[in-house]
Amino acid sequence: MSALEVLSVVSEVYPLVKTGGLADVAGALPGALAQEGVTVRTLVPGYPAVKAALEKPKVVTKIGDLFGGPAKVLAGRAAGLDLFVIDAAHLYDRPGNPYHDGDGVDWPDNPFRFAALAKVAAQIGIEGAAGFRPQVVHTHDWQTGLTAAYLEYDGRKRPGTVATIHNLAFQGQYPKDLLPALHLPDHAWGVDGVEYYDTIGFLKAGLRMSDRVTTVSPTYAAEIRSGEGGMGLSGLLSGRAGVVSGILNGIDIDVWNPAIDPLIAAHFDAASPSSRRPNKTALQRRMGLRIDSKAMVFGVVSRLSWQKGLDMVLEGIETILASGGQLALLGSGDRDLVDGFRRAAAAHPGRVACVIGYDESLAHLVQAGADVLMVPSRFEPCGLTQLCALRYGAIPLVTRVGGLADTIIDANEMALDAGTGTGVVFTPPHVDMFRAAVQRAAALHEDQSIWRRLMKNAMRTDVSWARSASRYAALYRDLVAERGG
Ligand code: ADP
């Protein structure tokens, strides 16, 4: 099989810049695709952290005016990835979060910051750069949605395009009078172009104009074709059902490997789950929970938002405590949830603990030390934390939506008999059902032989990228063949 070259275009990439699962995927997929004979280069904005990490950068292109200032495209390696980086101080040289300022207010020039990413992607797609000529340009989420539009309107021969939806809730909509400033032609304004409910829709453009659309689980691929799950795009996605598919995410099993993880207190694997115990003590100590090996620790590592359903955890906290459990929560996000969990921790010292913030190392310890990892999302395109939980033997307690439904097998009696259960799955996402799920988890935990079996099943689940990387490779090859090689 001949090598295939793909340009991945993304607004964050682990470990250089990360606000969520998107970065994890962008960071891990290139390595997995290399095993499939696919060479990936990743184009990212030159945020300060990216530029600082770039080894031996070379200037491959100079752009006189990229939406208000000069820019260079640099090529180099960082963190094991082959990168193209857009060095444009006026767009990306600012501290903190890639999307907003320290108060959570979106950078006002975001339409230009991400149009620039798409514009450079299209230029590399058509002209190549540093000897690299991608046959496929693979874009991720709304920030890169205009890529397909710039490629299409350029008029020259273009590579195939794939748009992946990591979260349909973020769509990137901007006023229509920006059309000329974004270098989009007048005829882009229409249902087959960028027009979306009388605004310019970045994600919409990508989903309308890319050759293939994927999302990160088969169930989410089905959900987004329905009215509610489609968040305004169900009609478009149903109309394009023939080119929409779901490919599950994996996790980087070298970063998430409990047998060697430097961020946890004791190493273990599926053959030695009892070696996991010191992590629970370490977690209880680190979070200020009462040190008690018998107390069941319910963990959370999450953005605190409506999507993630953590209001159910707050409302159902008494059920966790009534079953003798403890809550260990790591998260950041919405003010009312932050306040709620802080109040709960103050009301139940030693039994409820929360760390508000982003902490990579504590995230690993929660996965290694908690008995249960809760992801009660209202919708979840794929979800990565439940995959980490499987690998670390924290039994996932999840809603039956999106990728959670596709990755966790409910430990009902039949599944236990068949030796396949890996978690506790509930539906619908309502606090009463959440409470019942907590009680079910506690009942399962009481029988330690059943619990050990669950942990082994969970830890033996293949959560690597191998299966899904071969699906992406097949999709790319199919697309290249369709477009005449
Ligand atoms: P989403 O991308 O919707 O936030 P995912 O489950 O797909 O959710 O990915 C979340 C990623 O971010 C996981 O790698 C998870 O471990 C990490 N994460 C989320 N919140 C925190 C936090 N407060 N501290 C450290 N890591 C976090």
Side-chain angles (χ1 to χ4, degrees):
M1 230 183 287
S2 61
L4 196 138
E5 300 202 312
V6 174
L7 180 70
S8 171
V9 190
V10 72
S11 58
E12 53 183 278
V13 61
Y14 177 87
L16 307 175
V17 192
K18 167 169 163 176
T19 72
L22 171 62
D24 291 316
V25 174
L29 192 51
L33 281 167
Q35 311 292 315
E36 301 290 328
V38 178
T39 303
V40 179
R41 296 252 191 139
T42 305
L43 174 69
V44 280
Y47 312 117
V50 172
K51 277 173 55 187
L54 205 57
E55 299 153 18
K56 301 190 189 131
K58 276 203 195 80
V59 178
V60 294
T61 313
K62 287 187 177 167
I63 303 168
D65 180 15
L66 184 65
F67 297 108
K72 287 183 282 212
V73 179
L74 311 174
R77 278 180 72 78
L81 297 161
D82 282 315
L83 298 181
F84 287 122
V85 171
I86 306 173
D87 183 8
H90 61 294
L91 299 172
Y92 308 124
D93 193 5
R94 46 191 93 167
N97 187 286
Y99 312 119
H100 54 72
D101 67 18
D103 297 323
V105 178
D106 281 358
W107 300 115
D109 56 349
N110 273 352
F112 299 105
R113 297 173 73 233
F114 296 112
L117 178 59
K119 192 98 176 133
V120 173
Q123 184 176 329
I124 296 176
I126 286 173
E127 296 172 6
F132 177 78
R133 282 204 156 269
Q135 290 138 292
V136 173
V137 175
H138 186 167
T139 62
H140 300 271
D141 273 352
W142 75 265
Q143 296 88 346
T144 57
L146 287 188
T147 308
Y150 289 132
L151 281 167
E152 192 65 36
Y153 299 132
D154 183 275
R156 285 177 284 173
K157 187 173 181 318
R158 65 165 180 84
T161 46
V162 178
T164 293
I165 304 166
H166 297 263
N167 195 335
L168 204 55
F170 305 109
Q171 301 192 351
Q173 283 180 261
Y174 295 103
K176 62 179 169 191
D177 56 13
L178 291 184
L179 203 68
L182 290 171
H183 305 176
L184 289 163
D186 288 348
H187 62 272
W189 188 251
V191 285
D192 291 330
V194 305
E195 190 272 332
Y196 182 54
Y197 297 106
D198 211 35
T199 67
I200 299 171
F202 279 37
L203 180 65
K204 186 262 167 159
L207 302 186
R208 173 69 252 161
M209 303 179 82
S210 296
D211 300 318
R212 296 282 191 280
V213 173
T214 74
T215 185
V216 287
S217 68
T219 294
Y220 193 59
E223 288 168 352
I224 58 179
R225 284 181 235 149
S226 79
E228 204 184 323
M231 298 183 164
L233 287 157
S234 58
L236 187 163
L237 291 164
S238 302
R240 302 206 70 206
V243 298
V244 177
S245 61
I247 302 178
L248 270 180
N249 285 336
I251 55 171
D252 187 326
I253 55 170
D254 296 326
V255 173
W256 293 97
N257 182 355
I260 53 164
D261 188 336
L263 302 174
I264 64 178
H267 293 147
F268 59 98
D269 59 23
S272 62
S274 54
S275 311
R276 186 176 187 275
R277 279 191 209 119
N279 291 299
K280 180 157 163 175
T281 313
L283 176 64
Q284 287 171 325
R285 184 170 297 122
R286 172 116 164 240
M287 293 201 64
L289 289 165
R290 195 166 62 221
I291 304 218
D292 177 355
S293 62
K294 296 227 158 43
M296 213 174 151
V297 176
F298 289 77
V300 172
V301 178
S302 185
R303 286 188 288 120
L304 303 179
S305 75
W306 181 85
Q307 174 194 340
K308 300 291 181 181
L310 295 169
D311 48 307
M312 283 183 261
V313 174
L314 205 46
E315 228 185 307
I317 218 162
E318 297 297 343
T319 310
I320 293 176
L321 300 177
S323 69
Q326 301 179 341
L327 174 67
L329 175 134
L330 166 64
S332 61
D334 293 357
R335 171 72 26 213
D336 50 344
L337 288 168
V338 168
D339 292 346
F341 282 111
R342 282 200 169 126
R343 273 197 300 274
H348 305 284
R351 304 189 65 197
V352 174
C354 63
V355 170
I356 303 302
Y358 190 89
D359 185 333
E360 197 81 32
S361 119
L362 184 55
H364 284 240
L365 189 58
V366 173
Q367 296 285 10
D371 296 289
V372 173
L373 194 280
M374 301 189 289
V375 195
S377 303
R378 292 194 164 81
F379 69 93
E380 192 58 72
C382 179
L384 296 177
T385 51
Q386 84 280 9
L387 301 181
C388 304
L390 287 173
R391 186 145 165 87
Y392 279 58
I395 299 306
L397 184 154
V398 305
T399 38
R400 183 174 289 126
V401 296
L404 300 172
D406 292 339
T407 53
I408 306 303
I409 301 171
D410 184 56
N412 59 39
E413 279 185 36
M414 293 294 196
L416 284 174
D417 281 350
T420 54
T422 56
V424 175
V425 183
F426 71 98
T427 189
H430 184 278
V431 66
D432 290 336
M433 305 312 288
F434 170 74
R435 288 193 181 105
V438 168
Q439 284 163 344
R440 204 146 66 80
L444 289 165
H445 189 255
E446 267 185 17
D447 186 332
Q448 275 296 304
S449 69
I450 289 186
W451 196 259
R452 269 197 301 277
R453 227 165 54 226
L454 268 181
M455 281 172 64
K456 285 203 166 183
N457 291 348
M459 294 179 72
R460 289 194 173 128
T461 306
D462 180 4
V463 291
S464 77
W465 270 104
R467 193 186 317 112
S468 298
S470 78
R471 301 229 158 105
Y472 277 112
L475 181 113
Y476 297 148
R477 290 191 205 283
D478 183 53
L479 174 58
V480 170
E482 179 186 291
R483 296 181 52 78

